[in-house]
Amino acid sequence: MEIGNGCISKKRKLVEEGSLDELNEDLLERVLSWLPTSTLFRLSSVCKRWKSMADSQSFKLACSRIPSRDPWFYMVDANLNRSIVFDSAKSSWKRLNHPSLLLRDHNRDSIPVAASGGLVCFRNMSGGYIVCNPVTGSCRELPPVDPGQSLLAIAMNAYSNYHSSYKLVLVFGDLPKLSFKVYNSITDCWEEEIMLGRNSDDCTKSNDNDDDAVYFLSTAGNVVVTNMQRSPSKQYSSVFTLKDDEEIVYFLTSSGRVIACNLTRKCFSEYPRLLPVFSEYSVDVVECKGEMLVVVLYEFFESASLRVWRCDPKTKTWNQIAAMPPAMSHEFYDKKLDINCVGAGDQIFICLSSAELCSNVLYDFVTNRWVELPECLVNGESLEFMSALSFEPRIEASV
């Protein structure tokens, strides 16, 4: 269901059945599997043959062979019991049917905490996890897990949408004592907790108390604390990368440092600070095409700057790779904004929010364009989003 987005959305017509009616079942499935996901929903209303095909396992298998789909962004606002997404292919907002399992008493107000492939993972108030396909509404409650130490990060990686093959990773502890636990969908159980040692090549070791809160005066004369106050949906935010057969989870500490947990080598390392500790800024980590990047919003010379950085793995130095035009970022000056970001291929979706301003921006690396998205209207109300998760809208993704 498409909803108001500040402009009149254009409806695309389905391909006329016509000549397609003469195709055999296998060929028809392969042709229609390339349609955008929002169009696939309407297949059932074309004719009985197409309705039967849309519900078949063979059609879902054909859909799973499509290499990738334009991402949808699952939005998080104050009302956690509804599903709003931004369709990047059509540049429009959509409201999906909220999964019935998430409307049960013990799962109400569950927060989306991770996503991969066509799946989104939610965490309920009791610390339980539910994996869901937002497109079909199918859900699965994972076995309970012992909370153990303090939870630092939650990451997810889907290896196969059609065969329900994915992992959920939890990182626990307090620096420098870290550990992780993995849920494997194939075995439907949590694996044994594994300790993480410090990488022997890590040359950026910090003081154990480096994450303690530090108070200082800003240039405006306000008292500022270094500990970040993250949105609840981003409290355990992290990104997962798979490179050279090594699985790595990146997350931010409370003071804004980037920690990399190499699950394959069972070790962790720290990245150098991007900005001095006595700085006012908001930061988030994202994953784009298998690479970890950092997005930073900070203020200087009575203006605001929003930039994207990449860390050189050899020199351990940060290099700027993108920057929002100053005329656009200046609006954010002195607004006390928190940024919550998510990457998807060549794009970064940025939610900027504070008591004074809310804005959603989409950056495209290929075109180097920063686009402020139209407001999302539901029943005449303009929604304000705190964060977003990216996923591929796949009807075949199973939980």
Side-chain angles (χ1 to χ4, degrees), residues 229-269:
Q229 302 299 315
R230 304 303 302 274
S231 160
S233 63
K234 300 288 285 186
Q235 183 178 357
Y236 308 115
S237 174
S238 63
V239 298
F240 185 103
T241 67
L242 179 61
K243 188 175 183 180
D244 299 328
D245 295 326
E246 292 190 354
E247 298 177 326
I248 303 177
V249 172
Y250 299 88
F251 68 93
L252 290 170
T253 67
S254 58
S255 67
R257 285 185 295 124
V258 178
I259 305 295
C261 298
N262 190 315
L263 308 185
T264 306
R265 296 187 180 184
K266 301 177 178 58
C267 64
F268 75 92
S269 58

Side-chain angles (χ1 to χ4, degrees), residues 199-233:
N199 189 337
S200 58
D201 296 330
D202 188 5
C203 59
T204 56
K205 297 178 183 178
S206 64
N207 186 294
D208 289 345
N209 298 321
D210 197 36
D211 265 354
D212 290 348
V214 175
Y215 296 84
F216 64 95
L217 283 176
S218 70
T219 55
N222 300 315
V223 176
V224 179
V225 62
T226 54
N227 274 12
M228 296 188 302
Q229 302 299 315
R230 304 303 302 274
S231 160
S233 63

Side-chain angles (χ1 to χ4, degrees), residues 172 231 334 394:
F172 301 94
S231 160
D334 202 29
R394 290 185 172 271

Side-chain angles (χ1 to χ4, degrees), residues 1 68 73 80 121 125 134 166 183 229 260 262 313 383 390 396:
M1 172 185 173
S68 64
F73 296 94
L80 295 171
C121 178
M125 304 302 287
Y166 57 88
Y183 168 80
Q229 302 299 315
N262 190 315
L383 301 187
S390 68
E396 75 278 9

Side-chain angles (χ1 to χ4, degrees), residues 233-378:
S233 63
K234 300 288 285 186
Q235 183 178 357
Y236 308 115
S237 174
S238 63
V239 298
F240 185 103
T241 67
L242 179 61
K243 188 175 183 180
D244 299 328
D245 295 326
E246 292 190 354
E247 298 177 326
I248 303 177
V249 172
Y250 299 88
F251 68 93
L252 290 170
T253 67
S254 58
S255 67
R257 285 185 295 124
V258 178
I259 305 295
C261 298
N262 190 315
L263 308 185
T264 306
R265 296 187 180 184
K266 301 177 178 58
C267 64
F268 75 92
S269 58
E270 302 175 41
Y271 278 66
R273 284 190 180 278
L274 187 57
L275 292 172
V277 66
F278 297 103
S279 302
E280 282 188 271
Y281 64 92
S282 182
V283 59
D284 207 356
V285 290
V286 299
E287 179 272 328
C288 290
K289 290 195 167 181
E291 186 174 36
M292 184 275 293
L293 304 174
V294 168
V295 184
V296 181
L297 173 69
Y298 61 98
E299 299 182 357
F300 67 104
F301 297 128
E302 297 187 354
S303 186
S305 177
L306 199 157
R307 308 187 183 201
V308 183
W309 301 78
R310 175 194 290 125
C311 191
D312 187 311
K314 294 182 179 179
T315 63
K316 287 290 185 178
T317 57
W318 292 99
N319 302 304
Q320 179 186 306
I321 58 174
M324 177 181 283
M328 191 174 182
S329 61
H330 180 70
E331 176 191 4
F332 307 142
Y333 176 68
D334 202 29
K335 296 296 191 298
K336 312 301 180 188
L337 287 164
D338 178 35
I339 62 167
N340 292 294
C341 314
V342 62
D346 290 314
Q347 298 176 315
I348 298 179
F349 193 106
I350 305 166
C351 294
L352 302 105
S353 59
S354 74
E356 300 179 50
L357 183 149
C358 275
S359 179
N360 301 294
V361 175
L362 193 62
Y363 173 67
D364 190 299
F365 280 101
V366 176
T367 62
N368 193 30
R369 291 184 64 220
W370 300 80
V371 178
E372 186 170 5
L373 304 183
E375 61 182 347
C376 176
L377 300 173
V378 174

Side-chain angles (χ1 to χ4, degrees), residues 179-204:
S179 63
F180 72 94
K181 185 173 285 191
V182 176
Y183 168 80
N184 191 323
S185 66
I186 300 299
T187 58
D188 189 28
C189 68
W190 293 92
E191 299 173 358
E192 290 294 322
E193 187 171 346
I194 298 175
M195 298 300 297
L196 289 165
R198 189 185 290 274
N199 189 337
S200 58
D201 296 330
D202 188 5
C203 59
T204 56

